[in-house]
Amino acid sequence: LLFLWSIIVSIFGIGGLLGSSGSRYLTVKFGKKKCLLCNNVLMIVAASIMGCSKIAQSFEMILIGRFMCGVSAGLCVPLHHQYVGEISPKKLRGFANSTSSFFWSLGKAIGQISGQRELLGSQSLWPMLMASCGFPALVQLVALPFFPESPPYLLVHKGDQEGCKKAIRQLWGEGQHQAEIDDIMKEKATMKNTKILSVLELVKEPAFRWQLYMIVILTATVQLCGINAV
C-alpha cells in the first residue's frame, strides 16, 4: 500500500517532466492560447477522473488522474509565463511575470489548508478535494477565449502582421504601438540567427555550465529548507 501511494505521489512529477518537455513544440505549432485552452480541458478531465475514483472504487483512477495533472502542470508553467509576458505592455511585463510565482505559491497554500481533516480532507470529502483542481481550469477555459493570441506568436511564427496589430490594440487599447512591433521584428531577426539548443546540447554546452550548476544546486537545496515540513 505504501508503495502504491508513493507511485501516486511521484507520478505527478513524471507527468510534469513530459509536459514541460513537449511545451516548446506544441506552442510553436498551435500557439500559446490554443495550448492553454486544451491544457485546461486536460486538467478538467483529470479532476473528473480523480473525483469519481471513490464511487468507482478504483485507485487506478487516482493514478491516471495524478499523471494527467502532472502533464497539465508541466505544460502550464512555461506556457503561462510566456503568454502573460507576451500580452503585457513592456512597462508591466516584469510585474505580470512575477504574479505567476505568487499565484503558484498561493494555490499550493490553499491546497494544503483545504486538505486539513476539518475541511476537505475528511473521509467523505477527499474526492471533492482531488477534483478541486478542475475549478481554476474551468474558470480559465471560460475566460481565455475573450483574449487574443500572443502578438509575438502571430508576428514571429505566423507572419500575420495585421493579426498582431489587432491583438495589440485589443490588449493595450488604441494608440501608436509601432515601437512594440519593431521590438518583435528585431526579436524575429535575432531568432533566425540563433540556434535553438536541445536539452542534451544545453547540458554539453560549456558556456552554460556554471548557470546549470547554480540552477541545479538552488533547486536541490530548496528541498532542504523545510518548506515541505511547513
Side-chain angles (χ1 to χ4, degrees):
L1 191 61
L2 180 62
F3 177 69
L4 287 173
W5 282 116
S6 300
I7 293 174
I8 286 171
V9 170
S10 59
I11 202 166
F12 179 88
I14 297 168
L17 178 64
L18 292 174
S20 59
S21 299
S23 63
R24 178 181 166 270
Y25 169 77
L26 293 172
T27 52
V28 171
K29 187 169 179 63
F30 300 108
K32 297 172 178 65
K33 180 182 171 181
K34 286 181 182 176
C35 286
L36 281 170
L37 286 169
C38 293
N39 194 47
N40 291 325
V41 174
L42 180 64
M43 182 62 86
I44 292 168
V45 171
S48 303
I49 290 172
M50 291 190 293
C52 296
S53 59
K54 186 179 180 181
I55 298 172
Q57 296 184 340
S58 170
F59 76 88
E60 292 90 351
M61 290 175 70
I62 302 176
L63 191 69
I64 294 166
R66 283 279 295 174
F67 177 74
M68 291 172 67
C69 271
V71 173
S72 178
L75 280 167
C76 182
V77 173
L79 268 175
H80 186 265
H81 276 285
Q82 290 173 28
Y83 184 70
V84 169
E86 289 177 2
I87 67 172
S88 305
K90 187 180 286 187
K91 61 182 178 181
L92 296 175
R93 198 161 294 161
F95 170 76
N97 277 324
S98 67
T99 58
S100 303
S101 302
F102 170 76
F103 283 110
W104 185 259
S105 302
L106 181 64
K108 291 168 81 171
I110 292 172
Q112 292 285 346
I113 294 166
S114 303
Q116 299 300 310
R117 292 184 188 278
E118 294 80 7
L119 298 174
L120 296 179
S122 63
Q123 183 93 17
S124 58
L125 295 178
W126 66 262
M128 190 182 297
L129 175 66
M130 298 203 76
S132 63
C133 60
F135 177 70
L138 181 62
V139 172
Q140 192 179 61
L141 186 65
V142 172
L144 197 59
F146 296 99
F147 287 78
E149 180 56 87
S150 159
Y153 172 78
L154 291 171
L155 188 57
V156 175
H157 295 287
K158 292 295 182 182
D160 185 2
Q161 193 161 346
E162 285 303 314
C164 174
K165 289 178 180 178
K166 184 179 177 181
I168 287 174
R169 283 195 296 269
Q170 185 178 342
L171 288 165
W172 305 339
E174 297 294 335
Q176 292 297 323
H177 302 296
Q178 190 58 43
E180 286 83 358
I181 295 172
D182 291 341
D183 286 342
I184 298 171
M185 292 300 293
K186 287 176 186 176
E187 181 186 345
K188 182 178 181 180
T190 304
M191 285 176 65
K192 282 184 178 180
N193 301 322
T194 305
K195 183 188 176 186
I196 298 174
L197 301 176
S198 67
V199 175
L200 189 61
E201 288 172 333
L202 181 66
V203 172
K204 290 181 176 179
E205 179 59 52
F208 301 118
R209 192 67 45 81
W210 280 105
Q211 290 93 320
L212 282 172
Y213 286 158
M214 290 170 66
I215 291 168
V216 169
I217 291 168
L218 283 169
T219 306
T221 50
V222 163
Q223 303 304 317
L224 303 175
C225 75
I227 187 67
N228 292 329
V230 171

